[in-house]
Amino acid sequence: MFKNKFIVRKDFILKNRNNENFIVIDARGLKLTENDFVYDKSIILDYKEFSFLSIDVGDYYDNVPYSKEVLIKKFLKYNIDNNKIVLVYTNTKNYNSMGEDGRIKYLLNLCDIDCYILDGGIDEVIKSGFYKKNDKTIDVSIDFINKPFLEYESSILTKELLSCYKDKNIKIVDVRYKEEYDGTMVFDDYVGGHIKGAINFPHIKIYDNDGYLLDNKKIEKMIIEMKISKRNTIILYCSTALRATLIFEIFKMLGYNVRIYHESFALWSKVADIEI
């Protein structure tokens, strides 16, 4: 089991279930169907509600979080603030996760709200005994009024990355599937391939066959095999920073120096060197 205070299992639900400040988020959002099981008191959220999405992917900032002030207001609509105990989960079995749980945790952390990730996702909810069939639909309206939050410590944007990506102390890690890295356009990318010099580390590698996180030593062994140390700055990217955010959270918990390239390969492929 991955050891960190923010990675928990069903006992966390059992311990906090009757606490009025306990909030459980199902991060699958729009992916949920009426046949899916959910935690019986869950709030269903979709990360898109909390991210600036461009009309034409790659022509502008895409999937960049809103400012802290805007995010706080958006979470308050769901009665989520820093007085709450927040747990987030998704479906991690059979590699269904695209990192939605990590993304919600990341956004909450930007608001100084602690958030725990449920290892094993919905399967662990079912093991707790407190689940039901989904009976909710959600409507996510894309917000073009508020602008994306660009300058903060864990973020890197294209202009800065162009100036430093050849630095030997910087390790650029592509967390997309190997097929995407090798040139297959799986999710309607502008073009196939990867950032020149990037290392491929598919986000699904952090899970075992049952959808549970590998233990710390196994994940660190894979990082070391990529010739990455804690002296390096790691820059993570994928297609829209969703999967990259999950890996950011795990690597950060392991003590690595990590940043996220939010504009991701969609924009990079239009302005800089790529490889196939």
Side-chain angles (χ1 to χ4, degrees):
M1 180 179 176
F2 190 90
K3 298 292 185 182
N4 183 276
K5 69 177 182 178
F6 293 114
I7 302 296
V8 298
R9 291 195 177 177
K10 67 175 183 179
D11 289 348
F12 191 82
I13 294 175
L14 301 178
K15 175 183 177 182
N16 291 288
R17 179 171 170 81
N18 295 322
N19 186 330
E20 62 181 11
N21 288 319
F22 183 47
I23 289 180
V24 179
I25 297 172
D26 190 312
R28 289 175 287 179
L30 295 171
K31 290 169 62 175
L32 273 174
T33 71
E34 62 182 12
N35 294 318
D36 289 320
F37 288 118
V38 298
Y39 179 68
D40 62 357
K41 296 181 180 180
S42 62
I43 297 171
I44 299 171
L45 297 183
D46 193 293
Y47 76 95
K48 297 182 186 71
E49 183 174 350
F50 306 90
S51 302
F52 183 91
L53 302 173
S54 70
I55 298 173
D56 184 3
V57 174
D59 284 342
Y60 192 52
Y61 306 113
D62 186 66
N63 207 9
V64 177
Y66 294 115
S67 70
K68 178 177 178 179
E69 292 74 19
V70 173
L71 287 174
I72 287 172
K73 289 179 181 178
K74 286 179 176 288
F75 283 120
L76 277 174
K77 289 197 308 181
Y78 301 96
N79 197 31
I80 300 171
D81 58 33
N82 57 12
N83 292 313
K84 301 298 189 299
I85 301 169
V86 184
L87 175 66
V88 61
Y89 71 89
T90 186
N91 180 6
T92 58
K93 195 165 186 180
N94 299 322
Y95 304 117
N96 282 303
S97 171
M98 292 295 286
E100 299 93 347
D101 48 356
R103 181 67 174 184
I104 295 294
K105 183 183 188 307
Y106 180 83
L107 294 168
L108 285 165
N109 289 164
L110 287 178
C111 300
D112 301 317
I113 301 172
D114 284 342
C115 177
Y116 300 81
I117 289 176
L118 185 63
D119 194 14
I122 186 59
D123 277 10
E124 199 69 6
V125 168
I126 292 170
K127 288 179 183 178
S128 77
F130 298 107
Y131 64 94
K132 65 176 183 177
K133 279 282 187 74
N134 177 45
D135 58 3
K136 298 177 183 177
T137 58
I138 66 170
D139 178 30
V140 175
S141 58
I142 296 178
D143 178 358
F144 293 108
I145 298 174
N146 292 296
K147 297 302 180 184
F149 182 35
L150 304 178
E151 303 298 334
Y152 56 100
E153 184 179 0
S154 63
S155 170
I156 186 168
L157 297 175
T158 303
K159 183 177 180 180
E160 182 181 355
L161 186 55
L162 281 167
S163 71
C164 68
Y165 79 102
K166 294 180 181 179
D167 186 327
K168 292 183 180 179
N169 189 52
I170 290 175
K171 302 293 184 179
I172 301 177
V173 179
D174 183 324
V175 305
R176 297 174 302 160
Y177 298 120
K178 186 177 184 301
E179 303 95 291
E180 296 171 90
Y181 179 86
D182 289 340
T184 301
M185 290 180 280
V186 177
F187 295 109
D188 297 322
D189 289 328
Y190 176 72
V191 67
H194 56 270
I195 294 176
K196 189 172 183 178
I199 305 164
N200 187 219
F201 183 81
H203 78 290
I204 57 175
K205 290 184 72 172
I206 64 173
Y207 296 110
D208 65 20
N209 291 333
D210 294 317
Y212 285 83
L213 290 168
L214 299 175
D215 66 40
N216 304 46
K217 289 184 178 179
K218 288 182 179 178
I219 296 177
E220 288 211 78
K221 182 174 183 291
M222 291 189 288
I223 296 172
I224 291 169
E225 287 172 350
M226 292 190 288
K227 298 182 179 179
I228 293 174
S229 77
K230 291 181 179 177
R231 295 187 300 275
N232 296 126
T233 295
I234 304 170
I235 297 174
L236 304 166
Y237 78 93
C238 55
S239 294
T240 57
L242 181 58
R243 291 169 282 179
T245 309
L246 171 68
I247 299 301
F248 171 90
E249 290 296 331
I250 299 302
F251 281 23
K252 183 179 177 183
M253 289 179 197
L254 290 170
Y256 287 87
N257 178 21
V258 282
R259 299 176 74 185
I260 300 175
Y261 176 40
H262 276 287
E263 295 167 300
S264 295
F265 189 68
L267 183 55
W268 183 269
S269 63
K270 291 187 175 184
V271 300
D273 293 338
I274 63 171
E275 293 179 325
I276 298 177

